[in-house]
Amino acid sequence: MPERDVVGWNTMISGYASYGFLDNAFKLFLEMQNSGVKPSNYTWSILTSIASCTCHGKQIHGSMIRNGNVESNVVIWNSVINMYGKIGLIDYAFGVFLSMEKWDVISWNSLIWSCHREGFGELALDQFGQMRSFEYFPDEFTMSSIITICSNQQDLETDWRIQLASL
């Protein structure tokens, strides 16, 4: 490639990632940054989906902040919440969620599922209650998650929260 632009870099990073060469994907990202090419939202999407350790997750998040242009992008921040949930940093997921300018139902779903994934079922149900109190309406994923959480909790008394959601 005579001239490397963000599309070329993203293609290479995505290719490495899709074949499981995650370290190569991250090395290529660092090379991209060192060459002066600014990451796109697609770059961040790729990287947050493949982060599998706290080191990479924090590095990606820090790079996003330093590079800018993502402050009001709900989709990107939702992927960061998912990333932190996936690598077990629930406190960081909450930090990202609370610092967002606006939320959508996917933001709530990401936070709820992250809590559940790390074994904080009651906290996930509390977030569902918060979601409803802010007048966000659950979608199919929300309801599926809540039913799964209640089932895993083996607590039949939590079904009132599900009934509340259907209002």
Side-chain angles (χ1 to χ4, degrees):
M1 254 180 353
E3 187 177 328
R4 295 182 180 185
D5 62 1
V6 71
V7 174
W9 285 105
N10 285 344
T11 302
M12 293 297 294
I13 292 168
S14 179
Y16 275 128
S18 64
Y19 283 99
F21 299 113
L22 305 183
D23 285 339
N24 293 44
F26 282 112
K27 286 177 187 172
L28 205 57
F29 168 66
L30 294 175
E31 190 179 325
M32 173 183 154
Q33 286 191 304
N34 290 336
S35 73
V37 175
K38 193 168 184 165
S40 68
N41 288 339
Y42 185 66
T43 312
W44 300 127
S45 173
I46 297 166
L47 294 172
T48 57
S49 71
I50 65 171
S52 59
C53 67
T54 58
C55 178
H56 285 155
K58 290 178 180 180
Q59 183 179 14
I60 292 164
H61 189 185
S63 294
M64 289 173 71
I65 293 168
R66 282 189 301 277
N67 282 286
N69 293 332
V70 293
E71 293 86 14
S72 62
N73 192 320
V74 176
V75 174
I76 296 299
W77 291 117
N78 289 344
S79 69
V80 175
I81 294 170
N82 276 330
M83 175 191 73
Y84 278 133
K86 182 175 70 172
I87 60 179
L89 295 176
I90 298 302
D91 51 340
Y92 280 68
F94 269 96
V96 170
F97 181 82
L98 294 172
S99 68
M100 291 171 65
E101 293 175 10
K102 63 179 183 172
W103 304 312
D104 62 11
V105 70
I106 298 169
S107 308
W108 286 101
N109 287 344
S110 299
L111 191 62
I112 290 167
W113 190 251
S114 293
C115 291
H116 168 65
R117 182 184 299 138
E118 286 303 305
F120 299 107
E122 193 60 40
L123 182 58
L125 293 174
D126 289 343
Q127 295 315 302
F128 176 65
Q130 287 291 323
M131 173 187 178
R132 295 297 296 129
S133 72
F134 280 103
E135 298 183 357
Y136 285 89
F137 293 99
D139 63 7
E140 295 83 5
F141 184 82
T142 314
M143 295 312 298
S144 173
S145 298
I146 295 302
I147 291 168
T148 300
I149 293 165
C150 289
S151 150
N152 288 345
Q153 297 281 96
Q154 297 180 352
D155 182 2
L156 299 177
E157 294 179 19
T158 56
D159 70 332
W160 65 268
R161 298 176 197 191
I162 296 170
Q163 292 173 2
L164 177 67
S166 62
L167 297 178

